[in-house]
Amino acid sequence: MKYEVIVVGGGHAGCEASLACARIGHKTLLITGNINNIADMPCNPSIGGSAKGIVVREIDALGGEMGKNADKSHIQIKMLNSSKGPAVRSLRAQADKITYPKNMQETLKSTENLTLLEDMVEHLIVEDKKIKGIVLAGGEKIYADTVILTTGTYLKADILVGDTRTRKGPNNQRPSMFLSDDLKELGFDIQRLKTGTPPRLDRATIDYSKTRREDGDKVRWSFSYETNPTYDIDKQEPCYLVYTNEKTHKIIMDNLNRSSMYGGYAKGIGPRYCPSIEDKVVRFSDKNRHQLFLEPESLYYDDIYLQGFSTSMPYDVQENMVHSIEGLENVKILKYAYAIEYDAINPLQINASLETKLVENLFTAGQINGTSGYEEAAAQGLIAGINASLKLEGKEPLILKRNEAYIGVLIDDLVTKGTKEPYRLLTSRAEFRLLLRHDNADLRLSNYGYEVGLISEERKKKLDEKIESIKKLEEELQSIKVTPTKEVNEYLKELDSAEIKDGITLYELLKRPEITIDKLTHFKNIDYTDEIKEQVEINIKYDGYIKKAIREAEKMLKLENKKIPEDIDYKKIPNLASEARQKLIEVRPKSIGQASRISGVNPSDISILSVYLKKGGY
């Protein structure tokens, strides 16, 4: 049996990878241990969040599925940081844990060129450092031109609770026992990582009078540019805010040696930016409380997710910890928290295309690459699927730059800096975040989606019309001038805006922070959609900052264009610092720009490298 692409793993990375390959037109096989667990959400019941919501928009802009599915499946949605600048605004939705996987499974099953197989992949078939296929648990061999590994947290997974260790994957699923050994034999550096999940509580046993209600927004939102949201704003499920207290912290500190991590039972390294509650209490001992959110998991059952309370404490300690929180004194724990350890590869061993450096045509995506989060996984899966397809077609890979997408930041960070802990995207990681906004993902990326075959002609036409409308409205605002009449200045005074003494264009007037584009309707009928008006308002108000960011990005791109030959011998370059030489040999950067971002490579090393390349005629 032969396929063009085999995708191993049915999580968020596997779904995007297999859909991308199949939709582009390649015969694709998705193999997963349990078809009913495809697109499962073993931890957080949400899609999006700070930075992550922008990633979901980028996935949609490229032609991926996560945004569309989130729009069909959410039970609450809101815009984070809506009162702040556009660079940090990001959507977050509570996804229904029953509906989301069901909808994704239906999408996969109805996609042409895509076959689903329920089985376990135990070995890889590699010949002359090229992937040839996989071997199933029963010994059957299936051949393929490319293979994409999206194994999530299943590689030699162990569930940790207190001093107990059980070889199981998320939700007590069967782990993958042999693949990481295969990868190790092929020369991959296997590292042990850890993540965790909090307890689930019985909705009916919570005292909501001691909590603070958090509702969804009173505005309809969507992740996908193709979704026309029609959900009932007033029927969104509420979340609730609660806090730990000094009693909670005392229970944790008194039992710290019984935690898997602090008791010395854990081997893997946990996520710095999504720590366990015991880690928070130890690291932030000056804080007398930490906020937690009670989040509904589904409309179809009563489990409430205790966001921010991940732990690996024994069950009896978890009972005491949870019951110490106001509002949860009599709560019933339906599922106890646990930590999970798993194998991952060193991401320095993959290229920016997500093809591995050691085995040709073998791609990896998601938590196997050292990341955490559904959104990071889905983004990598999409890029791996696109690049596996482009490799099959003999085309150059799609490499998104740091000034083009958060996805570009994510992948560049992984393959250039590596990670020793589960990596999480943050807005602070993106130096060009003003360019990488929630509102402009389609303008940044949809042409790429069209070029690879994931964006339709109709959608491309709408994008072109949108770009033309933005340009047209900006030109109109530049062409219309208001004069300093009494009526004009009285209106400006009402807006707490300074009077004008000379004529001023609407374009210049809109630069004033207190004047929104809707306020300009006093002077001109602006017959454009809210989407166009938002884009124009941001472009005008942040014009100076955007231009500065573009100039900085252009400087970076000049360094990216200074390519480093693949066969360069760093051992022959005199005067390089020993750490820089070691890191350059390990990462083998494609450009001077990438080399400059490697930890341990200093500006002086970059100067030496640049001079060496110039003298060598490169």
Side-chain angles (χ1 to χ4, degrees), residues 476-542:
E476 288 178 14
L477 295 179
Q478 285 175 325
S479 67
I480 298 174
K481 187 176 273 192
V482 293
T483 54
T485 64
K486 181 182 177 182
E487 186 267 337
V488 166
N489 280 328
E490 282 180 354
Y491 179 66
L492 293 175
K493 189 176 180 181
E494 287 175 18
L495 302 177
D496 291 325
S497 190
E499 294 182 353
I500 58 172
K501 295 180 180 179
D502 300 301
I504 186 173
T505 65
L506 295 184
Y507 187 99
E508 288 298 320
L509 200 58
L510 187 55
K511 287 185 177 183
R512 296 184 176 189
E514 69 278 2
I515 293 181
T516 64
I517 196 165
D518 287 331
K519 299 286 187 354
L520 297 183
T521 55
H522 181 84
F523 307 108
K524 176 194 181 320
N525 178 34
I526 302 177
D527 190 19
Y528 289 84
T529 65
D530 290 342
E531 187 179 35
I532 300 298
K533 289 190 289 185
E534 177 191 35
Q535 196 62 226
V536 168
E537 183 166 357
I538 290 171
N539 287 348
I540 294 173
K541 283 193 180 299
Y542 294 88

Side-chain angles (χ1 to χ4, degrees), residues 408-424:
V409 174
L410 160 68
I411 295 174
D412 184 66
D413 278 355
L414 287 176
V415 305
T416 302
K417 301 174 183 177
T419 186
K420 297 297 183 185
E421 63 195 29
Y423 174 100
R424 177 186 173 180

Side-chain angles (χ1 to χ4, degrees), residues 564 568 570 573 584 592 595 605-613:
I564 300 174
I568 190 171
Y570 290 105
I573 303 177
L584 289 166
I592 291 292
D605 300 307
I606 294 299
S607 297
I608 291 167
L609 176 58
S610 298
V611 170
Y612 179 83
L613 292 174

Side-chain angles (χ1 to χ4, degrees), residues 42-44 153 158-160 193-200 269-271 274-277 305 307-312 336-342 367 372 374 422:
C43 192
N44 202 318
T153 60
D158 285 333
I159 297 293
L160 307 179
L193 299 179
K194 178 180 73 68
T195 186
T197 192
R200 273 56 159 189
I269 301 173
C274 189
S276 65
I277 188 62
Y305 181 94
Q307 170 74 267
F309 208 76
S310 172
T311 183
S312 59
Y336 289 99
Y338 62 83
I340 183 167
E341 278 187 357
Y342 54 96
Q367 284 173 289
S372 66
Y374 309 143

Side-chain angles (χ1 to χ4, degrees), residues 7-23 28 30 37-40 64-66 69 100-101 104-105 107-108 111 114 116 150 377-378 381-382:
V7 178
V8 181
H12 302 280
C15 290
E16 295 293 348
S18 56
L19 284 171
C21 294
R23 286 168 170 171
T28 304
L30 171 61
N37 276 359
I38 284 176
D40 188 27
E65 190 65 25
M66 177 175 264
N69 196 25
Y100 187 94
M104 188 64 84
Q105 289 164 29
T107 299
L108 291 164
T111 298
L114 180 56
L116 307 184
T150 64
L382 177 60

